[in-house]
Amino acid sequence: MFKGADGGKRLRPAYIRKQERFGFAMITPSMIFLFIMAAFPLIMLIVMSGFRIDLTYPAGNRWVGLGNYVEMMRDPRFRHAIQITAIYTFSTVLLQIVTGLAMAMAFLKSFRGQGILRVSVLLPMILAPVVVGLAFRTMIMTPEYGILDYLFIIVGLGSKPWLVAPNWALFSVIIIHTWQWTPFAFLVFLASLHALPPDPLEAAQLDARNAWQRFRHVILPMIRPAVVIVIIFRTMIALRAFAAIFSATGGGPGTATEILNLYTYRESFNSLNLGYGAALGTSLLVITVVISVIFFRMRQSRM
Amino acid sequence: MAHHMKSKWPIFLRPVMVRSLYVLMILVWAFPVLWVILTSLKNRTEIFTLPPTIIFRPTIEHYIEALLAHDILKGIFNSLIVACGATLITLLIAVPAGYAFSRVRFPFRTRLSFFALLAQMAPPIGLIIPCFLFLSRFRMLDTYVGLIAVHMTLTVPFSIWLMITYFQDLPPSLEEAAIMDGVSLFNMFLKVALPNAWGGVGVTAIFAFIESWNEFLYAVVLTGSRTKTAPVAIFGFLAAEESRWGPFTATGVLIMAPVIMIALVAQGQIVKGMTMGATKG
């Protein structure tokens, strides 16, 4: 409220102090909460990664320094999890951007019945990921009886090992994530396209030779900020993915769909090896921070 | 602006393509949900009939089985307590913070609001390992308070940011008039700004509720027999027997029902809230 430069000067210092006290009072509860429940646990996560904490054999718990990290570097399952996480994150984000953008371009022209479309695409995003994962595992991807597999059979493509063959399972969990979240990209792009000024588009109508050139040289540069934001949002969410994969494949078959989140979970809460789990969790924290810093720089330089 | 866009396609062809895409999209995104609802109403043999039946005599046997035999009722009750509790406390602390960050000047304002953003990026699996250890140390595993507190690490950061955006959208003239009348700072928030931001508070409440209602990872780690939420319960009984599609879909419908109803009532606001952060850049 008191943002105007001259307005600030006219107010007496006592009033400014009062305002500062008021501001701090308003943010204190949430800041204390976030410190205790988010900042402090993350510090403790890093501390825990320096210990051997095995709940199945508490007598052996001790300080191991970088021991967990040394073990991690030698752990082929960790390398595999990183690889799966990279494939999963990259392909889900790419698929969401490409399909979301293509669909939004098709609906540039608004028409009656868009409300039904909006509700339909909104549905997957608000459903519990665990229900989504279980529904795909059973009613959609079960051989023969799953509706998707049934469709594949009747159109002549034949039954597929959706969740049982390693490569298919990875493909399937990527499809499940893309199914659930492409609507976000679609809705954001639709909103940005509908907010574009009409003049450059009209000019492009005359200049550009075809629809692709119009898209590439006129529309895409204008909605680039939205594309960058969607990439950032979706990458951060893909890195947090858990429930849908956990319920669709449980990380399997074997470790075929075991992203770093799932490996960390299995290590911490199935094997109850919390120290090593904390080291895996810390590596995920580092990856998340590094990627956010890169994104942050990218956004600043491009816009 | 949309009507300026013309396609290379003949005019009679384009609407057909767009219209088929329209139907295809609705099928792809709404059909799995409708399929879950349909299956929940079929009897056990009809579920496994090929080709799948669309017309059948509906039954509610799976709902009765899910609610009685599988203790899903308790899971839904627990989910309601946790989601409502988390939403309420989140609003209580995030709405004032959102107001202060957007309208009040104080030192470290930008840095502290950035801290709220960082908290949102913390990987949940990294957060749950220390939280699990603390909560078990303080004997707070399998309690509502423990799960609500951990769910709030998800809801508080985005609620602060949503509220910042909504308060920023209020015209400054509202408060300028109130200053002239000598209204206190707190009353400015409570009686001037808040009544004009109820829409934003409502959307924030919806997002917080859905987030907590659907949450699985924290719930599966932190809850036991007493406070098991619905998403954990549905996972549990399908893990026991893979072919129980009936009770599974019935439970799925019960879990989806509240959020679908919210979506039908407030779809415009939800879409706006979701895309707002992205389109404002």
Side-chain angles (χ1 to χ4, degrees), chain A residues 193-252:
Chain A
L193 286 173
H194 284 185
L196 290 182
D199 299 354
L201 295 180
E202 267 182 89
Q205 194 83 51
L206 304 172
D207 296 346
R209 254 166 278 149
N210 59 39
W212 169 251
Q213 284 187 334
R214 208 153 53 224
F215 170 73
R216 177 71 189 78
H217 297 294
V218 184
I219 297 178
L220 193 58
M222 285 198 290
I223 61 163
R224 190 198 208 127
V227 176
V228 173
I229 292 268
V230 172
I231 291 177
I232 295 175
F233 275 31
R234 298 325 308 168
T235 306
M236 299 325 269
I237 296 287
L239 284 173
R240 303 162 73 105
F242 180 80
I245 301 188
F246 185 74
S247 52
T249 66

Side-chain angles (χ1 to χ4, degrees), chain B residues 102-113:
Chain B
S102 63
R103 303 295 252 210
V104 186
R105 290 199 129 189
F106 53 90
F108 308 115
R109 186 172 76 155
T110 320
R111 264 180 224 179
L112 286 168
S113 69

Side-chain angles (χ1 to χ4, degrees), chain A residues 273-288:
Chain A
N273 200 350
L274 289 186
Y276 192 56
L280 293 173
T282 305
S283 73
L284 192 70
L285 179 66
V286 171
I287 292 171
T288 313

Side-chain angles (χ1 to χ4, degrees), chain A residues 1 108 113 126 150 179 240 299, chain B residues 2 22 28-29 51 103 120 281:
Chain A
M1 51 184 119
L108 256 182
I126 54 170
Y150 179 73
W179 175 81
R240 303 162 73 105
R299 250 195 96 192
Chain B
Y22 172 79
V28 167
W29 273 285
R103 303 295 252 210
Q120 185 159 25

